[in-house]
Structure formats: C-alpha cells, structure tokens
Amino acid sequence: MTDAQETAADSSLRTTGGAPPDDVEPAPIPLLEPREGIPPVIADEESLAEAIAAFAAGTGPLAVDAERASGYRYGQRAYLVQLRREGAGTALIDPVACPDLSGLGDAVSGVEWVLHAATQDLPCLREIGMVPTRLFDTELAGRLAGFPRVGLGAMVENVLGFVLEKGHSAVDWSTRPLPEPWLRYAALDVELLVDLRDALEKELDRQGKLDWARQEFDAIAAAPPAEPRKDPWRRTSGMHKVRRRRQLGVVRELWQTRDRIAQRRDVSPGKVLSDAAIVEAALSLPADVQALAALNGFGHRMGRRQLEQWQAAVDRAKALPDSALPQPGQPVTGPPPPRAWADKDPEAAARLSAARAAVSAVAERLNMPQENLITPDTVRRVCWEPPRSADAESVGAALAGYGARAWQVEQVTPVLVDALTTKAP
C-alpha cells in the first residue's frame, strides 16, 4: 500500500461518516487507475504457463476474482478470471480458451487467496481447478467489522479512498473479444484487493475480531461443494399462486423442458421462457396451442413450433396419473415456519421470541449483522428442539452441532441459555 493509500485507510477507519464543516470543501476522491495498464488476456497454453511461473514466484497473498455471465448463459461458469500478486502483477485469464487452471491452482497452493464475497466465486473457480486452502474474504471482513456498505466499490472508497469504475458488473462476460473498458473494469477489481485486506485485518484486530474472522474464512475454505438443490422447479417465481397438484405438474414439466432447452442452447433459462409464463400456463391449463398463444408470455414473437413444444409439455403434465403428480409444499426437515409456532408450541414460540431479542442485542453490541453472529436457522432449531438441560455445555454443543464456529458459540451461548428457560405467557 502506498503512503497515500495508508493515510486514506487509517483516516477512513477512524471516522464515523460525519459530514465535513460547511466551510470546508471535501477533497475529491481519485478514480482508481491500473498501475501497470490493462494486461492482455491470456488465452493460450504458452501464455498460461508463463503466468503460472510468475504467480508461483510472487510474494504475499493472491487477489482473485471471476466474472460470470448470469442472465445470459446457462449455469454459473467463469468467463474471465482476474489475479494479482506482488511480484507478478495482474493477469486476466480466459477460462473458455484455458478451461483447466489446476496447474495454476497447484502453483499457488498454500497461498492465502483474497476474494470479495468468496462464496459467489468459489463454485465457478472450483470447476476450472482452482481451490484455495486459505482465504480472506473482504466482504465478510467488512460485515464483521461493522461497515454498513460492504460492496467492493463502497469498501475501496470508504477504506482506501479510491473510486472504482462502475457499470460493467452485469454485462455478458461470454462476449468475445471482451471490450477494453470491460477488461479495465475487471483488472481494477483486483488492483487494491490485497491493500483492502491489509487495512481490514488491522481494523478487525483493533476490534478484537480478527480470530473470529479467521474462523469464518477457514470454514468457507473447508466447506464441501453445495449439494444439488432438490426439486429446483419449486423455486419458480410466482409459485405461491399455484395450489392444485395438476397445476404443480404443469410447472414442473414446463420448467424441466425449459431447462433442457436452455442447457442445450447455453442460454439463461429466463431467455427461453419466463417464470411468469410458466405460472400463467399452469393456472390456465390451456387446451391447445391457440389457447396457449393467448396467454401472457407465449403469444408475442413466439413461433408455431415453439408454441407446440410448450403445449406438448402442458399436455404431458395433464396426462399424468394422480399418483405421479407432485405434492404441494416441500418436505420440511427443520422446524415449521415461525408464524405457526404460537399454535403448535407456545413454549417454543416464547423461547424463539426471547432468543431473537437477545441475539439482536448481542449483535448490536458487537456492531455486526445478526446473521453473521449466528444464522437465524440455527437459532430456530435450538429453540424448537432445545437440549434436555439448557445449560451452557449442552447449548454450546447444540450450536456447534449445527455448524456454529467456536467464537459464535462463545458469544451466543449465555443469552440462549437464558432464552431457553423462557415460559409462554
């Protein structure tokens, strides 16, 4: 970090965001510029080998970012990977042309990776062979440190005193060749990531939260890949309107047909058929193509062949025997929705109310979001089925069993012990 950046970081971390006096003109915040310009995109094995050697010889943490094409392409694959390390500079890698980056991952094995919102990028990085053993998440660090805005741009501006260019986060990163303004934006995303990490580490240490953050980072790095979601069609937007099993069958059939088409064409499912159109067809149960074409989402610019494929999906669902139709709702593996607790178990409802208030107070005292102190699901589970003896040891063991880290157990256990003894009025 330069002297100017160090001064800006220290000043920002000390201030509380108050406005300057009326007679003082605020200093303009400089726009961040790439220190070495925009590097060429690495898109062949020879250039990749040179980059691997350079990053293996670099020093200090590795800044990592990835760009996806959400809303344009099927899935969440990476279409650009950005790296920066002291001694190696910045690299922009095309994972379409170089789909196996396991050699790079091996070369920086054991190095701390610095990412912003790590859980968003780790799945697509894992697909191309890049898996960290240690990491530092600057977004999560900002949450634990109590920053009200934790987007990368806001953090760089508030902590380091620089403005990041905006406007290209939601573009179609599968575009080839990538325009120079997009590459500039991508390079800047890792330009100050290590500097931001260093400043946040100091702030977390000052607040006595650095060990907490390290526990969180270790948990992210050690987490296995997420299991495939069961019945993903149930997450169709507007599903709350669909009540009857036959209608649910239509949603499922249309969703699965859309997903197959989207995967084959490598486009976002929403570009094939909207969720609103799926729900509309399920509610209407159209008898033929003409009736389908009259529904919102089907008639406009949709050819006869397309209409026939959607009507065929509707007809398949209509022809299913009752035994093959999906059941309403999803199997509940945890506690029921909290709104039902007062009727099902007033004692549990009283425990939950007391626990929520207590956790909120602890989170406020520690200046962090409640969900980072302890997940709401963990609180609900402990309150619905509390340990037989609500003492510190059993409550702490229950929290740990649900995945709470040691620091969370230490902070939350005392107030939950009190909450679990609350009786219903």
Side-chain angles (χ1 to χ4, degrees):
M1 190 184 295
T2 66
D3 291 342
Q5 291 167 4
E6 186 82 57
T7 301
D10 289 345
S11 172
S12 177
L13 289 171
R14 285 196 300 268
T15 61
T16 57
D22 293 339
D23 59 342
V24 175
E25 189 72 26
I29 300 176
L31 186 68
L32 184 63
E33 298 286 345
R35 278 173 268 193
E36 299 101 12
I38 304 171
V41 176
I42 295 170
D44 62 77
E45 293 302 320
E46 183 179 351
S47 300
L48 178 60
E50 293 175 0
I52 290 174
F55 279 91
T59 59
L62 174 73
V64 184
D65 191 25
E67 305 295 347
R68 299 176 298 279
S70 303
Y72 298 93
R73 295 290 181 174
Y74 185 87
Q76 294 295 316
R77 67 174 296 185
Y79 283 94
L80 187 70
V81 175
Q82 307 101 281
L83 307 170
R84 184 174 180 84
R85 194 180 188 197
E86 187 69 29
T90 297
L92 304 178
I93 303 175
D94 180 357
V96 177
C98 302
D100 182 7
L101 298 186
S102 56
L104 175 60
D106 293 341
V108 293
S109 177
V111 174
E112 180 189 82
W113 293 20
V114 184
L115 303 101
H116 193 81
T119 54
Q120 294 183 20
D121 287 339
L122 288 179
C124 70
L125 290 169
R126 183 180 284 110
E127 288 180 357
I128 53 178
M130 295 189 67
V131 183
T133 55
R134 296 191 297 131
L135 63 83
F136 189 106
D137 186 332
T138 50
E139 185 204 45
L140 181 52
R143 291 181 183 278
L144 296 175
F147 283 84
R149 297 167 59 222
V150 293
L152 181 58
M155 294 292 289
V156 167
E157 182 174 336
N158 293 335
V159 177
L160 300 178
F162 284 88
V163 173
L164 286 177
E165 288 189 7
K166 302 175 182 177
H168 301 304
S169 61
V171 299
D172 181 3
W173 288 96
S174 68
T175 300
R176 293 295 184 272
L178 286 164
E180 184 172 313
W182 298 12
L183 296 174
R184 174 189 175 87
Y185 165 91
L188 289 174
D189 270 358
V190 292
E191 183 80 14
L192 292 181
L193 209 48
V194 173
D195 297 337
L196 180 60
R197 170 234 180 272
D198 293 344
L200 289 171
E201 182 179 60
K202 289 181 181 178
E203 178 63 11
L204 287 167
D205 190 36
R206 186 188 71 79
Q207 295 185 22
K209 299 175 180 176
L210 183 56
D211 181 61
W212 302 357
R214 286 172 175 158
Q215 291 180 41
E216 293 298 301
F217 303 155
D218 289 346
I220 294 173
E227 293 288 333
R229 193 184 300 276
K230 185 179 180 181
D231 291 346
W233 60 270
R234 291 186 183 272
R235 295 179 63 83
T236 303
S237 180
M239 275 290 290
H240 63 280
K241 303 174 186 176
V242 183
R243 304 297 178 91
R244 290 156 45 196
R245 293 180 63 199
R246 186 69 56 187
Q247 295 172 334
L248 290 171
V250 172
V251 172
R252 181 177 64 186
E253 192 64 40
L254 285 172
W255 189 97
Q256 292 175 344
T257 301
R258 179 184 71 174
D259 195 64
R260 288 192 295 270
I261 295 170
Q263 189 170 11
R264 185 177 71 245
R265 291 169 49 189
D266 190 19
V267 296
S268 170
K271 289 187 174 297
V272 176
L273 188 67
S274 70
D275 280 9
I278 289 177
V279 171
E280 183 84 6
L283 295 176
S284 300
L285 298 176
D288 50 36
V289 168
Q290 288 73 26
L292 182 69
L295 301 179
N296 290 333
F298 288 95
H300 186 58
R301 296 181 182 176
M302 189 171 285
R304 175 82 183 189
R305 184 177 176 184
Q306 289 176 293
L307 287 169
E308 287 176 346
Q309 76 180 357
W310 300 125
Q311 184 60 43
V314 172
D315 291 342
R316 286 194 297 273
K318 290 166 70 173
L320 288 172
D322 289 349
S323 60
L325 292 173
Q327 294 292 336
Q330 301 185 59
V332 177
T333 57
R339 62 180 178 274
W341 285 30
D343 292 330
K344 291 179 178 291
D345 189 338
E347 294 286 350
R351 292 192 295 265
L352 181 61
S353 178
R356 283 174 162 174
V359 168
S360 176
V362 175
E364 186 173 350
R365 173 171 58 81
L366 296 176
N367 190 28
M368 69 173 64
Q370 292 182 46
E371 61 270 21
N372 292 114
L373 172 61
I374 191 75
T375 67
D377 181 67
T378 297
V379 174
R380 286 194 294 269
R381 288 175 184 270
V382 171
C383 289
W384 184 251
E385 293 183 352
R388 186 164 297 177
S389 60
D391 54 34
E393 183 178 357
S394 58
V395 172
L399 292 172
Y402 291 125
R405 267 67 72 190
W407 75 271
Q408 296 176 314
V409 173
E410 180 182 4
Q411 295 298 321
V412 171
T413 294
V415 298
L416 285 187
V417 168
D418 291 339
L420 294 179
T421 61
T422 302
K423 301 295 182 182

